[in-house]
Amino acid sequence: MLRARIVGTGSYVPEKVLTNQDLEAMVETSDTWISTRTGIRERRVCVTDTTADMASKAAKNALKAAGVSPKDIDLIVVGTVTPEMAFPATACLVQSDLGVRSGAAAFDVSAACSGFLYALDIANKYIKSGEVKKALVIGVDRFSKIIDWKDRATCVLFGDGAGAVVLSAEKGSKGVLSCHIHSDGKHWDMLYAQNSCPQTPFEDKEQASPFLKMNGNETFKIAVRTMGNAITEAMETNGLTADNISLLIPHQANLRIINATRDRLKLTDDKVYTNLDRYGNTSAGSIPLALDEAVRTGKIKDGDVIVFVSFGGGLTWASAAVKW
Ligand code: COA
């Protein structure tokens, strides 16, 4: 049976660090409030990099780690809700930046913080069908562009970043074991950002705010419930117990959400990877960025079973299990 094996990981974050102390000078907040309520201490923000720049840099690092040439890539799927342009897809810009061959397929997926796992699910299905041999799956977001930097309730939570994996069709037991993607559109207004296109001469309503809007308390409650259910779905599909999971890599939104999920699943702290203290919530970038760090710091070994879980605007949620 063909499986999509992750043969290389890469990530990229912009150089500029914005600490909680920096935010104290911008809005009425404190390092203590932010770190105790969220676990975040600093985040990165783009100065010169764009969404496509971050995606391409993460993808280059993943290709290098995999020892795969861009010429061998058949499919690029980018999860993002802050694309470089309305069109073409950020995936097409990455294709051009990297020199991926003409005729490969490239498209974006909009699933907010679940964007990477949605993209992984699609690429996994193409690989299992035999249509694609090698794929690049990228999660990237540049929320600094859609944040109201005067709104303390949201501006402290997010950061910019990207992560990528190279998938290769291989026979054997290693690779993606399962992916599950879900959404519930009736909760769309918990977390959203409207398009900031200018008003046409034919409209008579007010110009919509381009900034991200969030109902933090409700989002928090739904996130805890949904992430736990999503992991349970991955565990039941693969006959896993908490003991068989080598590492859980959750979407990095809030340490309290992650800890509540950890406790519900009865996982020990060393089995849950977190890096949101340094990057905040990078939306679709969050899981592949954490995965790349875990790989590069030797936290993942051959044969390990890794579970990913995400939650985000849509509302969307997703899980995946991978044998390394
Ligand atoms: N600094 C200082 N005070 C702040 C603040 C900030 N950055 N942001 C909000 N506050 C204030 C509020 O105004 C409120 O003040 P009040 O009691 O005088 O009205 C108080 O802190 C408590 O606000 P509340 O919203 O109840 O805090 P909370 O404990 O729920 O934490 C979040 C707020 C946003 C951290 C939390 O709800 C959360 O993480 N939600 C999920 C968000 C998320 O992860 N979204 C992305 C999902 S992918």
Side-chain angles (χ1 to χ4, degrees):
M1 182 174 117
L2 275 180
R3 278 195 199 280
R5 187 157 179 210
I6 298 178
V7 293
T9 65
S11 60
Y12 178 80
V13 286
E15 261 172 48
K16 185 173 172 55
V17 177
L18 192 69
T19 64
N20 290 350
Q21 285 77 15
D22 294 330
L23 283 166
E24 284 176 357
M26 296 168 65
V27 286
E28 178 94 33
T29 191
S30 67
D31 173 42
T32 311
W33 192 97
I34 303 169
S35 53
T36 53
R37 304 253 178 166
T38 70
I40 300 164
R41 295 191 179 278
E42 58 186 45
R43 69 287 295 143
R44 303 297 182 98
V45 288
C46 289
V47 177
T48 53
D49 284 309
T50 65
T51 298
D53 292 336
M54 290 195 290
S56 293
K57 288 174 186 175
K60 262 184 205 155
N61 291 336
L63 286 166
K64 191 167 170 215
V68 167
S69 160
K71 296 189 172 48
D72 294 326
I73 295 295
D74 308 307
L75 169 70
I76 305 171
V77 191
V78 176
T80 187
V81 284
T82 47
E84 183 88 9
M85 303 180 189
F87 68 88
T90 301
C92 295
L93 302 175
V94 171
Q95 178 181 20
S96 165
D97 278 354
L98 300 186
V100 170
R101 68 178 171 80
S102 167
F107 57 88
D108 294 354
V109 176
S110 168
C113 300
S114 300
F116 174 74
L117 293 185
Y118 266 62
L120 183 70
D121 179 54
I122 294 165
N124 177 46
K125 288 190 163 80
Y126 270 103
I127 284 191
K128 280 171 70 170
S129 76
E131 256 183 74
V132 160
K133 288 201 172 53
K134 288 199 168 39
L136 252 178
V137 179
I138 304 169
V140 59
D141 267 310
R142 187 185 169 197
F143 267 34
S144 60
K145 225 170 44 161
I146 55 166
I147 290 295
D148 178 355
W149 288 101
K150 294 193 179 80
D151 176 17
R152 68 177 184 174
T154 53
C155 75
V156 302
L157 302 176
F158 298 94
D160 299 336
V165 299
V166 178
L167 297 181
S168 179
E170 290 188 13
K171 287 195 176 129
S173 63
K174 291 176 179 171
V176 177
L177 304 176
S178 69
C179 283
H180 292 98
I181 61 172
H182 301 285
S183 66
D184 185 352
K186 77 171 174 287
H187 295 304
W188 70 268
D189 56 353
M190 291 285 151
L191 183 55
Y192 67 93
Q194 299 203 43
N195 280 332
S196 55
C197 293
Q199 206 83 325
T200 73
F202 317 108
E203 288 170 289
D204 62 0
K205 56 179 198 268
E206 253 180 61
Q207 173 85 47
S209 159
F211 296 127
L212 176 147
K213 308 270 183 229
M214 183 181 74
N215 179 336
N217 288 321
E218 277 310 303
T219 306
F220 189 99
K221 284 185 229 153
I222 301 177
V224 171
R225 192 174 64 238
T226 311
M227 297 242 287
N229 292 345
I231 301 169
T232 305
E233 187 175 30
M235 289 168 78
E236 284 176 2
T237 302
N238 299 291
L240 298 172
T241 63
D243 287 345
N244 310 134
I245 297 178
S246 315
L247 195 64
L248 173 72
I249 302 187
H251 171 51
Q252 310 282 311
N254 183 312
L255 192 59
R256 290 186 295 143
I257 296 176
I258 294 174
N259 288 346
T261 309
R262 175 203 63 196
D263 294 345
R264 189 177 146 190
L265 275 296
K266 299 196 169 46
L267 288 167
T268 50
D269 210 26
D270 58 315
K271 286 196 171 186
V272 183
Y273 195 82
T274 59
N275 64 1
L276 83 171
D277 56 325
R278 282 167 291 128
Y279 303 119
N281 179 350
T282 55
S283 184
S286 140
I287 288 178
L289 175 57
L291 169 66
D292 185 46
E293 255 195 21
V295 168
R296 285 172 196 267
T297 53
K299 297 228 160 29
I300 298 180
K301 302 179 301 296
D302 198 40
D304 276 356
V305 174
I306 319 297
V307 174
F308 305 105
V309 65
S310 70
F311 171 85
L315 294 175
T316 57
W317 62 100
S319 71
V322 173
K323 184 160 182 189
W324 208 255

